[in-house]
Amino acid sequence: MIRPHSLTLGQTGNCQREPQETAVTSPLRNTPTGVLSLSFLHPSGQNLEPQVAMSWSKEHVLSATPELLPFVVLAGAVGLLLIWVFRRQQKVWLIDQMPGPKGLPILGSALFVSVEPVELFKRVLSFCEYGPVMRVWIANVAYAIISGAEAVEVILSSQKHIDKSRDYTFLYPWLGTGLLTSTGTKWHSRRKLLTPAFHFKILEDFLDVFNRQSARMAQRLSGKADGKPFDIFPYVTLCALDIICETAMGNTVNAQDNSESEYVKAIYRIVHIIQMRMSRPWLQPNVLFKALGYAKEHDACLRTLHGFSQENISRRRQALRDGRGRHAEAGADDLGRKTRLAFLDLLLEYSEDGAKLSDEDIREEVDTFMFEGHDTTTAAVNWALYLLGHNPEIQDRLQEELDGIFGDSDRPITMSDLREMKYTENCIKEALRIYPSVPIIGRELKEDITVGKYHIPAGVTAMIYVYRLHRDPEQFPNPEVFDPDRFLPENCKTRHPYAYVPFSAGPRNCIGQKFALMEEKVMISHVLRKFRVESVTPRNDLELVGEIILRPFEGIRVKLVPRRDAETAPAMLKSRSDC
Ligand code: HEM
């Protein structure tokens, strides 16, 4: 028997067959000349290489190329295809080990999620019934929906899984690749650069802005404090917008007094368009986005927003160069008010000090703060007021704390007051648990991960469903009940560290969380030092829209009365809780 026919391609390209009756052991090896040869071992152990070697040189290959090329190319293509199919099947198999809906052929669950935002939020929530780790196919894209603390920890604590999901790309035209949307080395260097800008000492400077704008909000709310229902959402929003504009850019849009300003309208419109685009797959391809008329409006908003940011950058850069930078300016502005740094000034100083930040780079970051720093806080303050408005006893306790600190005075809030507001802080934390401003955090997995018994392959989009995570009854018994005492130190001891992540966690956590907590405390206490709040819409009737930010579909309807009146007419606002 001949095993195998040995094939020797000599230097001339001639091909000879030499039958050899022998057994074969490990025949393949490389020769030093780049020639591949086969060596054969006789059962006796003798190496028969000289007689039975298969080898070919470049020349042989070249001379055979014309006829073989199409076959080689085809074989290569088929080979690659098979490898791809095999690998893909392997991934599909791994993904399908996770529980999840069966879905339709090709479409998966695409039709199931092609619904209006309110319904979409409910449907995605229903997926979590499959367990803390589940999968869903939207056409050929696999999503892993994660709502268990152990699995959340694997993803958020990792230095590797820092890439945001595809949805964030719709923010690129506005925010570029600023801190929120960037990844890799760009993100690392920006994060390092920006972290000192959120130092406690710097935040202290912003307290004056928080106080002034919150006092203005409370003043505007006085006009509504007649016990009749109204939507408080726009009042909070405009105040948060004024705060972030002044702290990020050192300029004010006076949104509370001029909600019709071009900038204010553009910011609302663009956030709305982006959120729509994220939740409606048919708006995602650029062609359809243009064809359906959204691109034009989107781009007009962009021009207004970028124009405003750029104008501020140029103005502040010039001031810095003229020696009127933040340190020099720390005297008074045109109106005699004490001036303070803005994030923009810090970025400009870094750039003048040699950090390579162009105007465009600075704009990305300032726009990122404008976006990330106002919608999130707006939602958080609204939700806190809404929940307090449904829980009069808890509101009483909070107001007792405020009265203990401020008495009858309406003086501005100081840093030491903020430290004393422990119960207020727990109310804010509990509101962020029940209604986290960012209800879903998306990550593109670049490497395989193992969570519990599941192996999730790279390429899957992980969606951390914070809204559901915060309702795990094992971590938060009676999860729908608003109970700020859950955040007393003794009640947090046994909780999983990743069971509560309103500001995300790990390397990509929210850089602005201290800023946000301070701001929330100031805004809420300005309202509750003056008014009693009662929420109108029962929690069970509340419709939620969970896009980038978790919002009420139809605003937050409340009744307000001045606290002094509420004390004389307690029946009106102190009598009920329908939670
Ligand atoms: C209650 C208010 C806030 C909440 C609940 C909140 C929540 C979050 C969350 C969950 C993330 C992670 C998002 C993700 O991974 O996709 C995040 C990131 C971020 N937040 Fe906040 N945020 C708040 C306020 C703020 C404020 C006031 C600022 C700025 C002044 C800010 C700036 C940022 C930035 C720049 C990032 C990106 C950080 C990075 O990737 O390194 N946030 N925030």
Side-chain angles (χ1 to χ4, degrees), residues 164 168 179 187 191 372 376 441 443 502-503 508 510 515:
K164 298 295 171 85
Y168 292 72
L179 195 59
W187 171 76
R191 179 85 190 198
E372 189 63 30
T376 45
I441 298 173
R443 289 279 191 282
F503 292 102
R508 286 214 82 157
C510 174
F515 176 109

Side-chain angles (χ1 to χ4, degrees), residues 38-291:
L38 286 167
S39 65
F40 297 80
L41 207 63
H42 191 271
S44 65
Q46 197 187 348
N47 192 342
L48 300 177
E49 185 177 9
Q51 295 88 6
V52 289
M54 183 185 98
S55 60
W56 62 87
S57 66
K58 284 181 196 147
E59 288 79 0
H60 298 137
V61 173
L62 288 176
S63 64
T65 297
E67 304 99 74
L68 289 180
L69 191 62
F71 297 105
V72 172
V73 171
L74 187 68
V78 171
L80 286 175
L81 185 72
L82 286 176
I83 293 172
W84 183 83
V85 169
F86 176 72
R87 289 208 174 139
R88 165 114 191 131
Q89 278 315 109
Q90 230 181 357
K91 279 190 175 184
V92 170
W93 185 84
L94 278 176
I95 293 165
D96 284 342
Q97 297 308 298
M98 291 182 267
K102 203 162 178 314
L104 298 169
I106 301 172
L107 291 175
S109 298
L111 295 183
F112 185 72
V113 295
S114 293
V115 286
E116 288 299 312
V118 172
E119 187 55 28
L120 177 64
F121 190 69
K122 289 183 193 152
R123 291 192 179 189
V124 179
L125 189 59
S126 75
F127 286 147
C128 297
E129 298 311 316
Y130 284 95
V133 178
M134 63 80 66
R135 60 100 190 111
V136 59
W137 287 94
I138 308 295
N140 63 345
V141 182
Y143 291 84
I145 297 187
I146 313 283
S147 54
E150 287 81 13
V152 169
E153 178 169 14
V154 175
I155 298 171
L156 291 187
S157 66
S158 158
Q159 291 284 348
K160 291 180 197 148
H161 306 297
I162 59 165
D163 287 26
K164 298 295 171 85
S165 67
R166 189 179 155 269
D167 294 327
Y168 292 72
T169 56
F170 303 117
L171 289 164
Y172 287 179
W174 179 19
L175 308 183
T177 43
L179 195 59
L180 179 70
T181 44
S182 58
T183 188
T185 48
K186 178 168 181 182
W187 171 76
H188 271 283
S189 63
R190 289 285 170 89
R191 179 85 190 198
K192 216 168 133 196
L193 188 77
L194 290 168
T195 299
F198 287 88
H199 188 272
F200 173 77
K201 272 289 180 216
I202 290 177
L203 297 184
E204 198 172 345
D205 266 10
F206 292 150
L207 199 51
D208 170 50
V209 181
F210 297 167
N211 268 310
R212 189 161 26 80
Q213 298 294 357
S214 304
R216 177 76 190 109
M217 171 178 67
Q219 197 184 21
R220 292 181 74 229
L221 285 172
S222 306
K224 295 302 249 176
D226 53 7
K228 293 194 188 123
F230 74 102
D231 180 9
I232 198 170
F233 207 93
Y235 290 82
V236 176
T237 312
L238 295 175
C239 175
L241 194 53
D242 274 340
I243 289 177
I244 196 65
C245 201
E246 203 170 334
T247 51
M249 295 211 223
N251 193 0
T252 169
V253 278
N254 283 326
Q256 300 198 73
D257 295 312
N258 180 16
S259 60
E260 287 304 297
S261 97
E262 276 304 298
Y263 186 81
V264 174
K265 283 197 285 185
I267 215 164
Y268 282 119
R269 194 60 200 149
I270 202 161
V271 170
H272 180 67
I273 294 174
I274 295 170
Q275 304 227 43
M276 259 196 332
R277 200 170 183 196
M278 285 179 173
S279 61
R280 293 168 172 81
W282 60 93
L283 287 182
Q284 294 180 359
N286 282 336
V287 185
L288 289 178
F289 190 58
K290 276 190 189 147

Side-chain angles (χ1 to χ4, degrees), residues 156 164 168 178-182 187 191 194 198 244 247-248 343 365 368-370 372-381 428 432 436-438 440-443 466 501-505 507-513 515-517 519-520:
L156 291 187
K164 298 295 171 85
Y168 292 72
L179 195 59
L180 179 70
T181 44
S182 58
W187 171 76
R191 179 85 190 198
L194 290 168
F198 287 88
I244 196 65
T247 51
F343 287 126
E365 299 308 342
T368 296
F369 291 155
M370 287 301 300
E372 189 63 30
H374 101 273
D375 248 8
T376 45
T377 345
T378 297
V381 171
I428 291 171
L432 278 168
S437 306
V438 180
I440 299 172
I441 298 173
R443 289 279 191 282
V466 181
V501 292
F503 292 102
S504 186
R508 286 214 82 157
N509 68 351
C510 174
I511 200 171
Q513 60 181 293
F515 176 109
L517 278 175
E519 182 185 356
E520 272 203 69

Side-chain angles (χ1 to χ4, degrees), residues 419-525:
R419 279 190 288 274
E420 280 186 59
M421 290 185 196
K422 299 238 168 4
Y423 191 69
T424 309
E425 182 164 324
N426 288 349
C427 290
I428 291 171
K429 287 182 174 165
E430 175 67 342
L432 278 168
R433 179 188 71 80
I434 296 185
Y435 297 120
S437 306
V438 180
I440 299 172
I441 298 173
R443 289 279 191 282
E444 217 62 49
L445 297 182
K446 292 289 172 198
E447 286 185 18
D448 300 1
I449 58 166
T450 301
V451 281
K453 56 184 175 168
Y454 303 114
H455 300 285
I456 311 180
V460 168
T461 304
M463 304 298 263
I464 295 168
Y465 213 122
V466 181
Y467 181 88
R468 180 66 180 74
L469 172 77
H470 287 181
R471 283 169 164 70
D472 178 349
E474 291 205 358
Q475 304 288 337
F476 301 101
N478 297 321
E480 291 300 336
V481 173
F482 180 63
D483 176 10
D485 288 342
R486 293 180 202 274
F487 290 92
L488 288 173
E490 60 270 28
N491 294 339
C492 298
K493 265 191 233 147
T494 52
R495 197 169 295 145
H496 191 288
Y498 284 76
Y500 177 71
V501 292
F503 292 102
S504 186
R508 286 214 82 157
N509 68 351
C510 174
I511 200 171
Q513 60 181 293
K514 272 192 265 156
F515 176 109
L517 278 175
M518 275 175 65
E519 182 185 356
E520 272 203 69
K521 278 186 187 171
V522 176
M523 287 173 78
I524 290 172
S525 53

